[in-house]
Amino acid sequence: MGTILVTGGAGYIGSHVCLAVAEAGHDVVVVDNLVNGSATAVERVGELTGASIELHVVDVTDRAALDRALDAHDVDAAIHLAGLKSVGESMAEPLRYYDVNINAAISLIGALERHGVFRLVFSSSATVYGEPDGVPIPETARRRSINPYGRTKQLQEDLFFDVAAADPRWHIGLLRYFNPVGAHPSGRIGEDPAGTPNNLMPYLMQVAVGRRDDLTVFGDDYPTPDGTCIRDYLHVVDLADGHVAALDALDDVAGCRPWNLGTGEGYSVLEVIGAASRAIGRPVPHEVGPRRPGDVPELVADVTRAQNELGWRAERDLAAMCADHWRWQQQNPDGYRVGA
Ligand code: UD1
């Protein structure tokens, strides 16, 4: 047991990671600039776990502020989730994406080194695989991300590989997330996207709760059984548990090691809409529109390595992902902005 620094711990995935890490018996310190996170999320993780979680409202790129946060705690390992994450935004503002995401990684590595912390788990993404040669995708697949956001993930991975190769004190795990959805079953923490959601599940749930009109299905002429794209959706609680498993495995990692986190099973957009409609108890209105540029027909994880090396596997099915996401959305129709 030790103290774990979680950057981006006030965000959707970060808050669930904090909860899992606290439940595993660690102390948790959060660093988050709250651009896309909420202090309420951190408070609620404290309520749910009974842990006292300190939030430093700090931008990870601010090296002096990060040093001060690390000075205040005896940190054993870090989980790095902070960063910008919208594909569309990254295509419109590539410089900002490179600036924020790459500088955050550089700043964090330096601060951790100065404080003698050499254990790191990084929030990477299946987006690094771009359009894969085949599915399921193993970690050995070539990385060829097709947008600036994905390239910032790939570059951060490269940075971590190089740093770990140069200094054997480092143990770094790269977690390549597939499509995280759902929420903690309490309904107290969940996804609260700023502005219009980019991703399927939050958009669908905002339609279901009456915040938005019809959901658009982006294309039904893909080479898949029902013509809509297939993704590997995984429950955010399983994903968060994967971080604890990665922390536990770090000592056995020589250098830097990537692990896919997914279920290994793919569902189409229409299958997700069907499962969500059953969880909600009525059909979610949707119409078919044109393809979204940059989407690939099918992304599914090969999860063998995570199972073998982390002893981790996703346990929650699509019905649970939808039911839990819906509970959060119903109890918090406007996210953290009301009823906080
Ligand atoms: C997206 C990002 C990916 C990022 C991930 C984080 C793109 C191209 N990729 O993955 O880099 O790591 O989110 O979770 O944005 N869909 C609809 N209607 C909608 C929204 C989505 O039909 O309103 C479809 C998409 O076409 C896709 C599927 O739903 O086929 C999943 O989309 P989304 O949730 O955005 O995830 P990804 O695109 O897989």
Side-chain angles (χ1 to χ4, degrees), residues 132-185:
D133 291 329
V135 290
I137 311 168
E139 288 84 352
T140 48
R142 197 132 53 87
R143 297 173 312 149
R144 46 179 174 219
S145 185
I146 54 173
N147 57 66
Y149 157 71
R151 282 191 280 272
T152 69
K153 287 291 185 194
Q154 208 170 316
L155 268 172
Q156 287 176 90
E157 286 195 351
D158 289 340
L159 171 65
F160 296 136
F161 275 114
D162 287 341
V163 161
D167 185 340
R169 287 176 298 176
W170 278 105
H171 301 272
I172 303 179
L174 310 176
L175 301 183
R176 295 183 181 149
Y177 309 161
F178 280 68
N179 288 61
V181 297
H184 189 262

Side-chain angles (χ1 to χ4, degrees), residues 87 125 127 149 179 199-200 216-218 229 231 233 292 295:
V87 172
S125 169
T127 198
Y149 157 71
N179 288 61
N199 300 114
L200 176 60
T216 303
V217 175
F218 296 145
C229 291
R231 293 290 180 273
Y233 298 91
R292 179 173 69 178
D295 278 340

